[in-house]
Amino acid sequence: MARSQEPIYAVHPAPIVAILVDGGFYRRRAASLFGHKEPKARADELMEYCRRHIKHRGSRLYRIFYYDCPPSDKVIFHPLTRQHVNLAKSNDYKWMNSFHQEITKKRKLALRMGENLETQDGYQLKSHALKRLLSGKMDTSDLTERDFYLDINQKGVDMRIGLDIASLSANNYVDQIVMISGDSDFVPAAKHARRTGIDFILDPMWARISESLHEHIDGLYGPVARPPRQEEDPLHISNSQVIEHPEDDDATL
């Protein structure tokens, strides 16, 4: 009698994913979504946020690439107070250095550092204050320091993102790339990755993105509820010890 044969099922290995994080973008959005935190707490939060992407797809992590620039140590003139501000002595400078130290300790995380430009840095008026001034709803005498933000011009971050995407694609290191960003500067690299067969996912952390950006990605996903429901998330500061550190002002979003 012929022996019955059991059906043979193909076993597909878990996809390998690389997570690329635009550091400046993540810090601003994380402060907006989860509140302001100490450096170690923010670093731990970053790792947990990335883990959610892995768990959601049942993937294996290749590596987390975190792109940022060192804090500026310049002395910059403030147009409102008419005083020079030594950024190297600011709380933001200390916070950023501590944060970068914390994330370098994390497993499977590579810190990619760009550079600060030598010129064109300074304090800029926030958009809401500029609109109120132009509409006549406020006068220059009503301006406060909170109506300004520090604009530091950076270079090298976008180039490093592009090079890493190209390397991951050319060497078949990963099956999927998750990009945590709201910018469109990475689009040429994303198009290259998709041509090589890589699944390219964008996580804008509920920030608005241009309609044209949808054309160059394979999907959107964010592992946190849309505001205001994100306040119920365990990562939100209200569900842990409250620490007031205005290190990541979200004014530009």
Side-chain angles (χ1 to χ4, degrees):
M1 180 181 296
R3 182 179 300 177
S4 62
Q5 294 184 349
E6 295 292 333
I8 298 175
Y9 297 98
V11 178
H12 297 283
I16 301 174
V17 59
I19 301 179
L20 281 58
V21 186
D22 179 342
F25 174 83
Y26 179 85
R27 286 184 285 103
R28 291 191 300 270
R29 291 304 299 162
S32 176
L33 292 171
F34 305 128
H36 299 289
K37 299 180 180 180
E38 289 282 15
K40 185 179 185 306
R42 180 109 291 154
D44 292 342
E45 167 206 282
L46 168 67
M47 295 302 294
E48 175 56 31
Y49 190 87
C50 291
R51 287 190 194 101
R52 291 181 179 184
H53 275 286
I54 302 300
K55 294 175 182 176
H56 171 70
R57 296 174 178 83
S59 308
R60 291 183 295 156
L61 176 64
Y62 174 73
R63 187 164 290 120
I64 299 169
F65 298 88
Y66 185 89
Y67 305 88
D68 212 341
C69 286
S72 176
D73 57 0
K74 296 180 181 179
V75 177
I76 295 181
F77 180 76
H78 198 296
L80 181 67
T81 63
R82 314 297 295 177
Q83 294 180 347
H84 286 87
V85 180
N86 187 346
L87 299 180
K89 295 183 179 181
S90 67
N91 290 331
D92 287 349
Y93 183 86
K94 297 175 183 176
W95 190 98
M96 282 290 291
N97 278 328
S98 296
F99 175 70
H100 288 157
Q101 290 174 8
E102 289 294 335
I103 62 176
T104 56
K105 302 174 185 176
K106 301 301 183 183
R107 173 170 162 74
K108 285 204 169 187
L109 187 146
L111 177 60
R112 298 282 201 261
M113 296 294 278
E115 303 174 27
N116 294 316
L117 291 176
E118 294 297 323
T119 60
Q120 301 178 343
D121 294 339
Y123 286 93
Q124 304 292 331
L125 194 61
K126 293 180 181 178
S127 59
H128 70 84
L130 179 60
K131 291 177 182 178
R132 288 176 61 85
L133 280 174
L134 295 176
S135 64
K137 294 181 179 180
M138 70 181 298
D139 191 74
T140 54
S141 60
D142 300 321
L143 291 172
T144 67
E145 290 186 54
R146 294 184 62 84
D147 293 317
F148 293 81
Y149 69 95
L150 183 59
D151 185 20
I152 302 293
N153 289 277
Q154 301 175 339
K155 66 177 181 179
V157 170
D158 293 337
M159 178 189 69
R160 284 167 174 78
I161 291 176
L163 287 174
D164 281 336
I165 292 177
S167 176
L168 292 169
S169 305
N171 294 286
N172 297 316
Y173 289 147
V174 299
D175 304 299
Q176 185 180 76
I177 291 175
V178 174
M179 183 79 208
I180 301 178
S181 178
D183 204 337
S184 59
D185 290 342
F186 63 85
V187 163
K191 292 169 67 174
H192 172 73
R194 296 178 73 201
R195 283 195 294 267
T196 64
I198 289 179
D199 188 37
F200 201 99
I201 304 297
L202 177 66
D203 177 6
M205 301 179 73
W206 296 112
R208 291 192 186 98
I209 62 172
S210 64
E211 287 297 324
S212 61
L213 194 54
H214 291 273
E215 178 184 352
H216 305 293
I217 59 176
D218 292 305
L220 286 172
Y221 177 73
V224 61
R226 183 190 293 271
R229 288 182 52 213
Q230 96 287 354
E231 294 182 1
E232 304 170 7
D233 196 291
L235 291 179
H236 195 273
I237 193 66
S238 63
N239 300 316
S240 58
Q241 183 180 1
V242 177
I243 303 172
E244 294 185 359
H245 267 273
E247 77 280 2
D248 310 303
D249 193 16
D250 200 27
T252 59
L253 296 179

